[in-house]
Amino acid sequence: MNVLSTPWFYWAVAIAIGLPVGLIILTELHNSLVRRQSHLARQVSLLRNYLLPLGALLLLLVKASQIPAGDGTVRILTTLFGFLVLVLLLSALNATVFQSAPEDSWRKRLPTIFLDVARFALIGVGLAMILSYVWGVRVGGIFTALGVTSVVIGLMLQNSVGQIVSGLFMLFEQPFRIDDWLDTPTARGRVVEVNWRAVHIETGTGLRITPNSMLATTSFTNLSRPGGSHKCTITTKFALADAPNKVCAMLTRVAAGLPQLKSGTMPETVALGGGEYRTTVRLRSPADDGVAQATFLPWVWYAARREELHLDEADDEFSTSDRVQDALRTMVGPELRLSLTEQQSLVPYARVVRYGADEIVQHAGVVPKGMAFIIAGSVRLTATAEDGSVIPIGTLNQGAFLGVTALTRQPNPAGAVAVEEMTALEIDREHLERVVMNKPMLLQELGRLIDERQSKARRVGHRERVG
């Protein structure tokens, strides 16, 4: 009998050629995916190491060796092959749809409970097909038996099953997603995980596990919806003698400098009566709530004392005559070459003030009302690029001064932010002019300093545009 006319010959040749070629192709593909750090590298490895050799073995047994498909060994190998295909499908689905998803996409925020449901459904369909086509089992009878069994199990596990069903109904409605902020009767925080039984909420004190059945039967607030609408409300109290308009203006100005403030919005402050004031700030995220309050309250403490207001009805006696005279003698006098008489003439018009860490000391583009001489601490000079980003351009330490353009009526070339608590001596422009206008050498030095800071701010802005 001619071997070329036998049916097994072509199958044997195809397997002998196809298996090595397939292994080579899959090996090269796997190496390429590993270099690109692709999530599909593991799936290609599974296909190369297990599925392809096992598929070739089954073809060799059934087609080349003519072993019946109903043979026990063939059935076992076919069942193993089906399981591997099922594993490959599950792994590939997870890698392509979810692992490679962008951080802000719906696929990344999809609760894990939906993934579990999809996996169980795919596993159930796969097992049913294996039992039906490989082993000849009547799947309909199994499903009927499972239906009766599930009723019995459901009665036995009413609480657990109830939580699962409650979780499914609630999540199908999609009242929240992963990374949303919730305010529930028992916890306030960010949703980090949703599973069959409970929702995991990350709070400031730890991870709070809230059963799905509890969330399904109680009301809660999703602080992240609609997006960008979260407000932080802070209440402060001042002395009744403080002018309400002045207090509201100060609180609004301080809140407008918060780094957590949502772009394009402005804070609002209203007087509640009895010395209480409420400041409302729109934030970028509920996650900024605690940080915004922790920043705002210390800044208000410093700003109230600079504005001679009485936060919590407290008086401030920091700027004493002795402190002013000492600062004029040790800091201002040597820098501006002031005589003792000139120093004494400035005492009634100078005061010692303090700024909190990260508080804005000077705004760029604003004409200052006076000069400030740094007594303690340091400030960071900043420039604003065309895209609105703030870029540090230098640091001023003890002995340096700000607001030099007050004498020339020019806007500040750079902004200034306190690095830590900073103490400064402030002198109004009109009183300082009387002293320094008769010092031409000093005015020339101040002019060079203004040009230097303006040039540095322009260089930084130009470098950002070129970059």
Side-chain angles (χ1 to χ4, degrees):
M1 184 177 178
N2 188 358
V3 70
L4 296 177
S5 62
T6 57
W8 58 267
F9 176 75
Y10 295 100
W11 282 104
V13 172
I15 294 171
I17 297 175
L19 179 60
V21 172
L23 290 175
I24 293 173
I25 294 174
L26 290 176
T27 299
E28 292 299 323
L29 178 60
H30 177 263
N31 293 336
S32 175
L33 293 174
V34 169
R35 286 194 298 270
R36 290 185 297 172
Q37 297 182 346
S38 173
H39 295 287
L40 293 174
R42 293 180 58 188
Q43 288 70 39
V44 174
S45 176
L46 175 65
L47 183 60
R48 178 195 62 184
N49 297 334
Y50 299 101
L51 270 175
L52 184 61
L54 186 56
L57 177 61
L58 282 172
L59 290 176
L60 185 63
L61 292 176
V62 177
K63 298 297 183 180
S65 300
Q66 301 293 311
I67 297 177
D71 184 78
T73 302
V74 175
R75 285 187 172 182
I76 293 175
L77 292 177
T78 305
T79 302
L80 180 59
F81 183 83
F83 274 117
L84 290 176
V85 170
L86 195 57
V87 171
L88 179 64
L89 289 176
L90 289 171
S91 180
L93 177 66
N94 186 56
T96 55
V97 179
F98 300 106
Q99 287 186 355
S100 59
E103 287 296 331
D104 57 347
S105 67
W106 66 269
R107 293 178 292 168
K108 205 70 173 179
R109 297 191 298 264
L110 192 68
T112 56
I113 189 172
F114 290 143
L115 305 184
D116 294 338
V117 171
R119 290 191 186 103
F120 282 133
L122 187 57
I123 291 172
V125 172
L127 291 178
M129 293 178 64
I130 291 173
L131 292 174
S132 177
Y133 289 102
V134 177
W135 297 96
V137 178
R138 294 182 60 184
V139 182
I142 295 179
F143 282 141
T144 302
L146 287 176
V148 176
T149 305
S150 63
V151 172
V152 177
I153 295 176
L155 292 174
M156 295 173 58
L157 304 174
Q158 293 184 46
N159 292 334
S160 299
V161 174
Q163 291 182 3
I164 294 175
V165 174
S166 298
L168 283 174
F169 279 125
M170 180 182 63
L171 294 177
F172 274 127
E173 185 186 349
Q174 287 279 311
F176 58 84
R177 298 175 298 189
I178 301 297
D179 289 332
D180 278 1
W181 280 70
L182 300 184
D183 187 4
T184 72
T186 58
R188 185 180 188 275
R190 183 173 63 92
V191 178
V192 295
E193 183 182 347
V194 180
N195 56 36
W196 291 95
R197 192 188 70 84
V199 175
H200 295 195
I201 302 176
E202 187 181 63
T203 66
T205 57
L207 193 66
R208 178 65 63 90
I209 312 300
T210 305
N212 292 330
S213 57
M214 180 179 295
L215 286 180
T217 56
T218 59
S219 60
F220 57 87
T221 303
N222 189 337
L223 301 175
S224 300
R225 295 189 186 181
S229 64
H230 181 67
K231 297 179 182 179
C232 173
T233 302
I234 308 172
T235 302
T236 50
K237 187 174 183 179
F238 288 79
L240 295 176
D242 291 336
N245 288 348
K246 186 177 181 180
V247 175
C248 290
M250 183 273 295
L251 292 172
T252 302
R253 185 171 59 253
V254 172
L258 290 174
Q260 300 81 17
L261 181 68
K262 184 185 177 184
S263 178
T265 65
M266 276 298 294
E268 298 175 354
T269 303
V270 295
L272 302 179
E276 291 190 347
Y277 297 83
R278 182 177 63 218
T279 304
T280 303
V281 185
R282 292 183 180 272
L283 303 179
R284 296 171 301 192
S285 165
D288 297 329
D289 197 324
V291 179
Q293 294 193 44
T295 305
F296 177 76
L297 292 175
W299 284 6
V300 169
W301 189 92
Y302 289 101
R305 281 153 175 77
R306 292 195 303 270
E307 298 279 344
E308 297 181 353
L309 298 172
H310 305 83
L311 178 65
D312 295 328
E313 302 183 1
D315 293 324
D316 181 50
E317 299 177 356
F318 185 75
S319 182
T320 61
S321 178
D322 291 339
R323 281 197 174 98
V324 171
Q325 292 182 27
D326 183 67
L328 286 169
R329 184 180 66 256
T330 59
M331 297 291 176
V332 182
E335 290 291 334
L336 301 185
R337 303 167 189 172
L338 302 180
S339 65
L340 182 59
T341 303
E342 291 171 332
Q343 294 176 25
Q344 292 297 326
S345 67
L346 291 175
V347 172
Y349 311 109
R351 60 176 185 154
V352 180
V353 297
R354 289 174 290 182
Y355 290 85
D358 297 322
E359 190 177 359
I360 298 175
V361 180
Q362 171 181 285
H363 291 273
V366 177
V367 179
K369 297 180 180 180
M371 291 182 63
F373 300 83
I374 301 177
I375 301 174
S378 59
V379 298
R380 180 173 56 254
L381 296 179
T382 61
T384 303
E386 286 189 344
D387 60 358
S389 59
V390 179
I391 309 156
I393 60 175
T395 303
L396 298 181
N397 298 308
Q398 183 180 13
F401 46 85
L402 298 166
V404 65
T405 57
L407 300 175
T408 59
R409 305 298 200 279
Q410 292 176 286
N412 288 317
V417 178
V419 177
E420 66 268 336
E421 183 181 77
M422 191 270 289
T423 305
L425 179 74
E426 290 185 349
I427 306 176
D428 293 338
R429 176 177 55 209
E430 56 179 321
H431 302 102
L432 193 61
E433 282 179 342
R434 301 173 186 171
V435 178
V436 301
M437 281 304 177
N438 59 351
K439 300 177 183 295
M441 297 296 296
L442 174 62
L443 293 177
Q444 289 182 10
E445 292 181 9
L446 294 178
R448 283 196 297 270
L449 180 61
I450 293 173
D451 293 338
E452 178 184 337
R453 292 183 182 177
Q454 288 177 338
S455 175
K456 185 178 293 186
R458 284 195 298 267
R459 282 200 307 270
V460 171
H462 176 70
R463 187 164 62 247
E464 287 297 314
R465 289 195 295 271
V466 172

